Amino acid sequence: MLKDGRILAVHGHCHPPGHLVGELAFVPSTAGGYAMFGARYRKAYVANRRGMSERERELVRFPTNTCFDHAHPFSAKSIVPLSQVDLHLSAAVDPRTDTVPGTFLRRYAEFHLTELARVLGNTLPAGPLGLTGSARLLLRDPSVRSMHDYDVVFDVGPEAALRIVQRLWTHGRAHPEARLREHGKDWRIRLRTRAGILCPFFRYEDPADAPLADLTAAGTLLRKVTVSGRVVADAHGAYLPTLLGIVPEQVSAALPGEVARRLPVLVNHMRDRGDFHKGDRGTFTGDLCHLGTSAGDLVVLSVVDGADSRLDDPPWRLLGSPAPSAATR
């Protein structure tokens, strides 16, 4: 929570020194439907009951005097100094014990965690699961009577994340009733369970595993490049930001060097986490960027808006979903 009352969802694993990167999630509003911290709030990324694209959303940006001020991967993110933060709520909570006993949220959490264990089986991590979203903000509020979804956070490494994502996808493929169409898309790992909508997020157990750890430089090589191709690397496909590897098949501009044969794609919005697996075909539009990290340099296609990445051969299509056009089949 910022000092002016706005609430930011902190995203990803790469932040400029003394700052944090995220997305404006809730803003004070007398007409808002959420009562939190003694005030009324509305969702900042919804207008007329529909989700807004990343490009349309309000940003809170302070200069950092680093590459983060101009880097395409962060152009659709809010960046605020820690001095502007009034309250930080960690996702590292146990909703089975940190909720008020006997309340709706305690029963809601227990039901969801039971369902999660049923769906994930032996891929369920042994350690505690975190919580984010409105359920985390309202964790200790005994007056809550309903919740749209359950935003669980897995603190795991890439191998464990991949196993969890594959189990969620397999469950949806085997159980049509678990599949979810929401916010204009069919979700692959956001599923319906007997407890309601499950919405998983992933955070690196070891920050050193993050591909952009210690980002030191960023620059744009080519603007507005569209690439279609097959996914050949998905180990970081569940995290924010999402990093994929694709073999380009169709491109709107000539790609330089090795990336013409194998292109890293950095997806900086959260809608497509977990959607792309090895063998899938996707289409991505963004800027070709050069990124410098402590582990070495990367040339990536950076995608910042949810409308600019598409799974071209989804594993299922729900009733009422638009069929792929001839151009994307």
Side-chain angles (χ1 to χ4, degrees):
M1 177 187 284
L2 305 184
K3 289 182 176 180
D4 61 12
R6 291 180 291 184
I7 297 175
L8 207 71
V10 180
H11 281 180
H13 48 259
C14 189
H15 306 270
H19 294 71
L20 55 82
V21 175
E23 178 178 291
L24 197 59
F26 293 93
V27 295
S29 170
T30 55
Y34 293 83
M36 298 182 294
F37 310 108
R40 306 295 301 185
Y41 280 86
R42 66 170 174 83
K43 287 186 175 180
Y45 47 88
V46 174
N48 300 319
R49 299 186 178 182
R50 296 183 62 86
M52 301 166 64
S53 75
E54 282 74 10
R55 291 192 184 92
E56 299 173 309
R57 296 176 187 177
E58 179 184 349
L59 300 181
V60 187
R61 291 186 71 93
F62 289 79
T64 69
N65 297 317
T66 69
C67 64
F68 286 79
D69 292 340
H70 56 79
H72 185 268
F74 307 101
S75 59
K77 298 292 186 183
S78 291
I79 302 178
V80 300
L82 297 181
S83 62
Q84 295 295 316
V85 176
D86 189 51
L87 174 68
H88 172 249
L89 292 175
S90 172
V93 297
D94 187 341
R96 289 162 292 196
T97 58
D98 292 342
T99 44
V100 178
T103 61
F104 165 81
L105 279 175
R106 172 66 67 89
R107 296 190 299 272
Y108 182 74
E110 290 176 342
F111 194 5
H112 267 285
L113 293 170
T114 298
E115 281 294 279
L116 194 59
R118 178 181 69 86
V119 172
L120 291 185
N122 61 3
T123 63
L124 182 69
L129 300 177
L131 186 64
T132 187
S134 53
R136 173 63 185 92
L137 293 171
L138 298 166
L139 188 65
R140 300 291 298 175
D141 187 347
S143 68
V144 177
R145 295 289 181 269
S146 65
M147 193 63 58
H148 176 262
D149 55 35
Y150 189 71
D151 297 312
V152 66
V153 180
F154 295 95
D155 264 308
V156 292
E159 291 184 5
L162 196 56
R163 289 194 296 268
I164 293 168
V165 165
Q166 289 173 338
R167 181 64 65 92
L168 291 170
W169 170 45
T170 300
H171 181 80
R173 187 173 56 185
H175 300 275
E177 72 281 1
R179 303 170 193 170
L180 178 69
R181 178 168 180 78
E182 197 173 40
H183 306 307
K185 63 169 287 184
D186 300 327
W187 293 84
R188 198 166 189 172
I189 64 171
R190 182 180 172 108
L191 299 173
R192 293 188 186 276
T193 72
R194 297 166 186 166
I197 296 174
L198 172 69
C199 190
F201 292 85
F202 294 82
R203 185 168 58 183
Y204 288 100
E205 184 177 27
D206 181 356
D209 287 335
L212 295 192
D214 301 321
L215 183 71
T216 57
T220 300
L221 302 175
L222 290 173
R223 298 191 183 277
K224 296 216 61 154
V225 178
T226 298
V227 181
S228 296
R230 292 284 174 185
V231 176
V232 293
D234 59 1
H236 300 275
Y239 297 96
L240 298 174
T242 294
L243 183 67
L244 303 167
I246 69 169
V247 172
E249 296 175 350
Q250 295 179 318
V251 298
S252 65
L255 298 176
E258 174 61 26
V259 295
R261 295 181 291 275
R262 181 179 170 122
L263 174 66
V265 177
L266 189 69
V267 181
N268 302 282
H269 63 82
M270 66 178 182
R271 283 166 52 94
D272 287 340
R273 66 190 189 281
D275 269 6
F276 293 89
H277 295 199
K278 282 184 181 179
D280 291 336
R281 189 176 187 275
T283 296
F284 309 90
T285 298
D287 283 8
L288 195 68
C289 297
H290 173 268
L291 305 179
T293 73
S294 59
D297 292 348
L298 287 170
V299 173
V300 304
L301 183 69
S302 171
V303 181
V304 298
D305 195 284
D308 290 336
S309 58
R310 182 182 68 240
L311 182 64
D312 290 333
D313 46 4
W316 54 70
R317 188 167 68 88
L318 298 187
L319 206 58
S321 303
S325 67
T328 61
R329 288 194 189 106

